[in-house]
Every structure is written in C-alpha cells, then in structure tokens.
Amino acid sequence: MDNAQKTIQSSLRLERLVFDKIEFKRLGFSSENELEFELESNIAQHKENDIYRVTLLLKGKKPEEYIFEISLMGFFVIEDNETISEETRNKLISRNTVAILMPYLRSEVSLLTAQPGIECVVLPTFNINHMMDKQAE
C-alpha cells in the first residue's frame, strides 16, 4: 500500500458483521398509524485483542399493524492503535462504528417490511453525533 492510500484509509476496520436477532410480528392489517422506533447502541471492548463489539438494537412498532426488533453486531479493530490518541480512538469507536453499521440496519428494515400488505419502510438518516450525545446524558 502506498502513502496516498494510507493517508485516506481509516484506521478503523470492520472485521465481522452479524444480525443476532430479527423478529417480526404482525398485529393486524394495514393501518394509518405512524411507525414508531427506538434505537440503542452498546459498545464493549475485548481487552486482550483490542476488538470492539458494537451492538445496534432497533425496536419498531406500527400500532395495530406490526412490531419488529433487529439486533446487529459489528466487530471492529483499530489499526495503529498505539499511534492514535485516546480521544480520537473514543470518537472512532463511539461514532464512526455506528455510522458504518447504520446502512446495514436500514437495509434490513426495508427487507423485513417489504412484505405483501405492508408499506416498505426506509429509515431516515440519523444524526449519529446528536444520538451519541443524547445517549451519553
């Protein structure tokens, strides 16, 4: 890899991605109710090998029509971990990992709701920085 590639390549790398829970329950037929959802994130570090496990949990409910729950886990490593400041490392882990996982979660919601008799859901874009600041409070 040449220097130009090294300067634009992120130190954060997604090693593995898994959906560990996908649940959908139909409650009734099509309704005019709005979809309500709640998104949570959780970050854990495996100290021995510097692998960070980031979990996104999305719970959705369209009253009188359906409920769903999706849990997505991403396993990340930071290359050149020793040369990165703790502040930069924390930002990479707390914000960038969630931003990397969001398109996968968004896609799974669309696939899950693309069923006969249901209006397919495309999640809006999220302000990850605001979401993380709120969660830290």
Side-chain angles (χ1 to χ4, degrees):
M1 183 180 315
D2 64 17
N3 282 344
Q5 284 179 311
K6 283 184 179 179
T7 58
I8 62 169
Q9 186 173 359
S10 175
S11 297
L12 183 65
R13 190 176 76 237
L14 175 61
E15 287 287 305
R16 179 170 286 157
L17 173 85
V18 294
F19 287 93
D20 62 328
K21 184 176 189 177
I22 301 172
E23 290 184 357
F24 182 90
K25 183 176 181 182
R26 182 180 287 279
L27 305 173
F29 295 107
S30 185
S31 73
E32 296 298 318
N33 295 322
E34 291 291 317
L35 175 64
E36 305 163 6
F37 57 87
E38 176 183 321
L39 180 64
E40 300 172 18
S41 67
N42 185 349
I43 299 168
Q45 179 183 9
H46 191 273
K47 294 279 186 192
E48 291 176 16
N49 51 12
D50 280 336
I51 293 178
Y52 296 87
R53 184 188 71 218
V54 180
T55 304
L56 295 183
L57 176 63
L58 179 69
K59 296 178 182 179
K61 177 171 79 171
K62 191 166 183 189
E64 300 173 14
E65 190 172 346
Y66 61 81
I67 57 174
F68 66 82
E69 188 170 320
I70 301 172
S71 178
L72 166 65
M73 285 193 301
F75 296 86
F76 294 86
V77 296
I78 297 179
E79 296 174 347
D80 302 323
N81 200 11
E82 300 81 32
T83 62
I84 296 174
S85 72
E86 186 173 344
E87 181 183 351
T88 300
R89 186 174 36 253
N90 289 340
K91 283 184 180 180
L92 282 172
I93 294 303
S94 68
R95 298 172 194 276
N96 289 25
T97 57
V98 174
I100 290 168
L101 294 176
M102 284 305 297
Y104 297 99
L105 186 62
R106 185 175 286 112
S107 176
E108 189 61 35
V109 169
S110 295
L111 288 170
L112 192 60
T113 58
Q115 300 180 34
I118 296 177
E119 187 177 329
C120 182
V121 174
V122 178
L123 290 177
T125 56
F126 294 96
N127 182 334
I128 302 299
N129 289 325
H130 178 72
M131 186 176 89
M132 292 293 111
D133 291 343
K134 256 185 108 170
Q135 194 168 1
E137 292 174 355

